[in-house]
Coordinates of all heavy atoms in Angstrom, one line a residue:
D6 N 4.2 9.2 -0.7 CA 4.8 8.5 -1.9 C 3.9 8.9 -3.2 O 4.4 9.0 -4.2 CB 4.9 7.0 -1.7 CG 5.9 6.6 -0.7 OD1 6.8 7.4 -0.5 OD2 5.7 5.6 -0.1
N7 N 2.6 8.9 -3.0 CA 1.7 9.2 -4.1 C 2.0 10.6 -4.6 O 2.0 10.9 -5.8 CB 0.3 9.1 -3.6 CG -0.7 9.0 -4.7 OD1 -0.3 8.8 -5.8 ND2 -2.0 9.2 -4.4
A8 N 2.2 11.6 -3.7 CA 2.5 13.0 -4.1 C 3.8 13.0 -4.9 O 3.9 13.8 -5.9 CB 2.6 13.9 -2.9
K9 N 4.8 12.2 -4.6 CA 6.0 12.2 -5.3 C 5.8 11.7 -6.7 O 6.4 12.2 -7.7 CB 7.0 11.2 -4.6 CG 8.0 11.9 -3.7 CD 9.0 10.9 -3.2 CE 9.9 11.5 -2.2 NZ 10.8 10.6 -1.6
A10 N 5.0 10.7 -6.9 CA 4.7 10.2 -8.2 C 4.1 11.2 -9.1 O 4.5 11.4 -10.3 CB 3.8 9.0 -8.2
F11 N 3.2 12.1 -8.6 CA 2.6 13.1 -9.4 C 3.6 14.3 -9.7 O 3.5 14.9 -10.7 CB 1.3 13.6 -8.7 CG 0.2 12.7 -8.9 CD1 -0.3 12.0 -7.8 CD2 -0.3 12.3 -10.1 CE1 -1.3 11.1 -7.9 CE2 -1.3 11.4 -10.2 CZ -1.8 10.8 -9.1
D12 N 4.5 14.5 -8.8 CA 5.5 15.6 -9.0 C 6.3 15.3 -10.2 O 6.7 16.2 -10.9 CB 6.4 15.8 -7.7 CG 5.7 16.4 -6.6 OD1 4.6 17.1 -6.8 OD2 6.2 16.4 -5.5
G13 N 6.7 14.1 -10.4 CA 7.4 13.7 -11.6 C 6.7 14.0 -12.9 O 7.3 14.4 -13.9
A14 N 5.4 13.8 -12.9 CA 4.6 14.1 -14.1 C 4.6 15.6 -14.4 O 4.6 16.0 -15.5 CB 3.1 13.6 -13.9
D15 N 4.5 16.4 -13.3 CA 4.6 17.9 -13.5 C 5.9 18.3 -14.2 O 5.9 19.1 -15.1 CB 4.4 18.6 -12.2 CG 3.0 18.5 -11.7 OD1 2.1 18.1 -12.5 OD2 2.8 18.7 -10.5
D16 N 7.0 17.6 -13.8 CA 8.3 18.0 -14.4 C 8.3 17.6 -15.9 O 8.9 18.4 -16.7 CB 9.4 17.2 -13.7 CG 9.6 17.7 -12.2 OD1 9.1 18.8 -11.9 OD2 10.2 17.0 -11.4
L17 N 7.7 16.5 -16.3 CA 7.6 16.1 -17.7 C 6.8 17.1 -18.5 O 7.2 17.5 -19.6 CB 7.1 14.7 -17.8 CG 7.9 13.6 -17.3 CD1 7.2 12.3 -17.5 CD2 9.2 13.5 -18.2
E18 N 5.7 17.5 -18.0 CA 4.9 18.5 -18.7 C 5.6 19.8 -18.8 O 5.5 20.5 -19.9 CB 3.5 18.7 -18.0 CG 2.6 17.6 -18.1 CD 1.3 17.8 -17.2 OE1 1.1 18.8 -16.7 OE2 0.6 16.8 -17.2
A19 N 6.3 20.3 -17.8 CA 7.0 21.5 -17.9 C 8.1 21.4 -18.9 O 8.4 22.4 -19.7 CB 7.6 21.9 -16.5
A20 N 8.8 20.3 -19.0 CA 9.9 20.2 -19.9 C 9.3 20.1 -21.4 O 9.9 20.7 -22.3 CB 10.7 18.9 -19.7
A21 N 8.2 19.5 -21.6 CA 7.6 19.5 -22.9 C 7.1 20.8 -23.4 O 7.2 21.2 -24.5 CB 6.4 18.5 -22.9
A22 N 6.7 21.7 -22.4 CA 6.2 23.0 -22.8 C 7.4 23.9 -23.2 O 7.2 24.9 -23.9 CB 5.5 23.6 -21.6
N23 N 8.6 23.6 -22.8 CA 9.8 24.4 -23.1 C 10.4 24.1 -24.4 O 11.4 24.7 -24.8 CB 10.8 24.4 -22.0 CG 10.3 25.0 -20.7 OD1 9.5 26.0 -20.8 ND2 10.7 24.6 -19.6
V24 N 9.9 23.0 -25.1 CA 10.5 22.6 -26.3 C 10.0 23.4 -27.5 O 8.8 23.7 -27.5 CB 10.2 21.1 -26.6 CG1 10.7 20.7 -28.0 CG2 10.8 20.2 -25.5
A25 N 10.8 23.9 -28.4 CA 10.4 24.8 -29.5 C 9.5 23.9 -30.5 O 9.8 22.8 -30.7 CB 11.6 25.3 -30.2
P26 N 8.5 24.6 -31.0 CA 7.6 23.9 -32.0 C 8.4 23.4 -33.2 O 9.3 24.2 -33.7 CB 6.6 24.9 -32.4 CG 6.7 26.0 -31.3 CD 8.0 25.9 -30.7
G27 N 8.1 22.2 -33.7 CA 8.8 21.7 -34.9 C 10.1 21.0 -34.6 O 10.7 20.4 -35.5
S28 N 10.7 21.2 -33.4 CA 11.9 20.5 -33.1 C 11.7 19.1 -32.5 O 10.6 18.8 -32.1 CB 12.7 21.4 -32.0 OG 12.0 21.4 -30.8
P29 N 12.7 18.3 -32.6 CA 12.5 16.9 -32.1 C 12.0 17.0 -30.6 O 12.5 17.7 -29.8 CB 13.9 16.3 -32.2 CG 14.6 17.1 -33.2 CD 14.0 18.5 -33.1
G30 N 11.0 16.2 -30.3 CA 10.5 16.2 -28.9 C 9.3 17.1 -28.7 O 8.8 17.1 -27.6
S31 N 9.0 17.9 -29.7 CA 7.9 18.8 -29.5 C 6.5 18.1 -29.7 O 6.5 17.1 -30.4 CB 7.9 20.0 -30.5 OG 7.6 19.6 -31.8
M32 N 5.5 18.6 -29.2 CA 4.2 18.0 -29.3 C 3.6 18.3 -30.7 O 2.8 17.6 -31.1 CB 3.2 18.6 -28.2 CG 3.7 18.3 -26.8 SD 3.8 16.6 -26.4 CE 2.2 16.3 -25.9
E33 N 4.0 19.3 -31.3 CA 3.5 19.7 -32.6 C 4.3 18.9 -33.7 O 5.5 18.8 -33.7 CB 3.8 21.2 -32.9 CG 3.4 21.7 -34.2 CD 3.7 23.2 -34.4 OE1 3.3 24.0 -33.6 OE2 4.5 23.4 -35.3
R34 N 3.5 18.3 -34.6 CA 4.1 17.4 -35.6 C 4.4 18.2 -36.8 O 3.7 19.1 -37.2 CB 3.2 16.3 -36.0 CG 3.0 15.4 -34.8 CD 2.0 14.3 -35.1 NE 2.6 13.5 -36.3 CZ 1.8 12.7 -37.0 NH1 0.6 12.5 -36.7 NH2 2.4 12.1 -38.0
A35 N 5.6 18.0 -37.5 CA 6.0 18.7 -38.7 C 5.0 18.4 -39.8 O 4.9 19.3 -40.7 CB 7.4 18.3 -39.0
D36 N 4.4 17.3 -39.9 CA 3.5 16.9 -41.0 C 2.1 17.3 -40.8 O 1.2 16.9 -41.5 CB 3.6 15.5 -41.4 CG 3.3 14.5 -40.2 OD1 3.2 15.0 -39.1 OD2 3.1 13.3 -40.4
D37 N 1.8 18.2 -39.7 CA 0.4 18.6 -39.5 C 0.0 19.5 -40.7 O 0.8 20.3 -41.2 CB 0.3 19.5 -38.2 CG 0.4 18.6 -37.0 OD1 0.1 17.4 -37.1 OD2 0.6 19.2 -35.9
P38 N -1.3 19.3 -41.1 CA -1.7 20.1 -42.3 C -1.8 21.6 -41.9 O -2.0 21.9 -40.8 CB -3.1 19.5 -42.6 CG -3.5 18.9 -41.3 CD -2.3 18.4 -40.6
A39 N -1.7 22.4 -43.0 CA -1.9 23.8 -42.8 C -3.3 24.1 -42.4 O -4.2 23.4 -42.8 CB -1.4 24.6 -44.0
P40 N -3.6 25.2 -41.8 CA -5.0 25.6 -41.5 C -5.8 25.7 -42.7 O -5.3 26.1 -43.8 CB -4.9 26.9 -40.7 CG -3.5 27.0 -40.3 CD -2.7 26.2 -41.2
A41 N -7.1 25.4 -42.7 CA -7.9 25.5 -43.8 C -8.1 27.0 -44.2 O -8.1 27.9 -43.4 CB -9.3 24.9 -43.5
K42 N -8.3 27.2 -45.5 CA -8.6 28.6 -46.0 C -9.8 29.1 -45.4 O -10.8 28.4 -45.3 CB -8.7 28.5 -47.6 CG -7.5 28.1 -48.3 CD -7.7 27.9 -49.8 CE -6.5 27.4 -50.5 NZ -6.8 27.2 -51.9
N43 N -9.8 30.4 -45.0 CA -11.0 30.9 -44.4 C -11.4 32.3 -45.0 O -12.4 32.9 -44.6 CB -10.9 31.0 -42.9 CG -9.8 31.9 -42.4 OD1 -9.0 32.4 -43.2 ND2 -9.8 32.1 -41.1
I44 N -10.6 32.8 -45.9 CA -10.9 34.2 -46.4 C -10.4 34.2 -47.9 O -9.4 33.5 -48.2 CB -10.3 35.3 -45.5 CG1 -10.8 36.6 -46.0 CG2 -8.8 35.2 -45.5 CD1 -10.4 37.7 -45.0
V45 N -11.1 35.0 -48.7 CA -10.6 35.2 -50.1 C -10.8 36.7 -50.5 O -11.8 37.3 -50.1 CB -11.4 34.2 -51.0 CG1 -12.9 34.5 -51.0 CG2 -10.9 34.2 -52.4
F46 N -9.9 37.2 -51.3 CA -10.0 38.5 -51.9 C -10.9 38.5 -53.1 O -10.6 37.7 -54.0 CB -8.6 39.0 -52.2 CG -8.6 40.4 -52.7 CD1 -8.7 41.5 -51.9 CD2 -8.4 40.7 -54.1 CE1 -8.6 42.8 -52.3 CE2 -8.4 42.0 -54.6 CZ -8.5 43.0 -53.7
V47 N -11.9 39.4 -53.2 CA -12.9 39.3 -54.3 C -13.1 40.6 -55.0 O -13.8 40.6 -56.0 CB -14.3 38.8 -53.7 CG1 -14.2 37.4 -53.2 CG2 -14.8 39.8 -52.7
R48 N -12.4 41.7 -54.6 CA -12.6 43.0 -55.2 C -12.3 42.9 -56.7 O -11.3 42.3 -57.1 CB -11.9 44.1 -54.5 CG -12.3 45.5 -55.1 CD -11.6 46.6 -54.3 NE -10.2 46.7 -54.6 CZ -9.2 46.9 -53.8 NH1 -9.5 47.1 -52.5 NH2 -8.0 47.0 -54.2
R49 N -13.1 43.5 -57.5 CA -12.9 43.6 -59.0 C -12.8 45.1 -59.4 O -13.4 45.9 -58.7 CB -13.9 42.9 -59.7 CG -14.0 41.4 -59.2 CD -15.0 40.6 -60.0 NE -14.7 40.2 -61.3 CZ -13.8 39.4 -61.8 NH1 -13.1 38.7 -60.9 NH2 -13.6 39.1 -63.0

Side-chain angles (χ1 to χ4, degrees):
D6 293 335
N7 196 14
K9 264 187 187 177
F11 287 113
D12 285 343
D15 290 340
D16 293 341
L17 289 176
E18 288 175 6
N23 292 330
V24 176
S28 65
S31 72
M32 300 298 273
E33 182 182 297
R34 296 181 55 196
D36 59 346
D37 284 344
K42 298 174 183 180
N43 64 351
I44 189 170
V45 63
F46 181 78
V47 294
R48 189 174 72 220
R49 302 181 73 75

